[in-house]
């Protein structure tokens, strides 16, 4: 009976646990290093796009407010 339990535990300790630990600490190291230059550039581009989108939304809302003042209640 004990042999049935011991074998999977040994396999886990020799194969799964080391891989699990390696991947865990590798991801921790990547997180602690911060953003790469490419990721920073992508984040900057996304921020600029979001700012442009916010400006467009404000413009569209102003146009809708001028043409149809009660459009917000219909939504």
């Amino acid at each position: 009976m004990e042999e049935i339990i011991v074998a999977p535990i040994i396999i886990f300790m020799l194969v799964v646990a080391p891989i699990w630990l390696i991947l865990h600490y590798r991801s921790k190291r990547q997180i602690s290093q911060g953003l790469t230059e490419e990721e920073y550039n992508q984040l900057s581009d996304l921020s600029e796009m979001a700012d442009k989108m916010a400006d467009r939304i404000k413009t569209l809302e102003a146009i809708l407010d001028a043409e149809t003042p009660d459009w917000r209640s219909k939504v």
Side-chain angles (χ1 to χ4, degrees), residues 5 22 38 68 73:
I5 296 173
I22 290 168
E38 180 182 344
T68 312
S73 63

Side-chain angles (χ1 to χ4, degrees), residues 5-69:
I5 296 173
V6 172
I9 291 174
I10 291 173
I11 291 172
F12 178 82
M13 296 298 285
L14 293 176
V15 178
V16 177
I19 293 172
W20 186 3
L21 289 172
I22 290 168
L23 293 174
H24 172 73
Y25 285 110
R26 184 185 302 168
S27 68
K28 288 280 192 182
R29 186 179 69 224
Q30 288 175 350
I31 290 171
S32 68
Q33 288 178 350
L35 296 176
T36 65
E37 185 174 339
E38 180 182 344
E39 291 170 333
Y40 182 77
N41 290 336
Q42 288 177 342
L43 187 60
S44 296
D45 291 342
L46 288 173
S47 176
E48 288 176 22
M49 290 171 62
D51 290 339
K52 289 178 184 178
M53 184 71 73
D55 291 340
R56 289 178 180 175
I57 290 171
K58 287 179 186 176
T59 303
L60 288 172
E61 287 179 344
I63 291 170
L64 284 171
D65 285 337
E67 292 183 1
T68 312

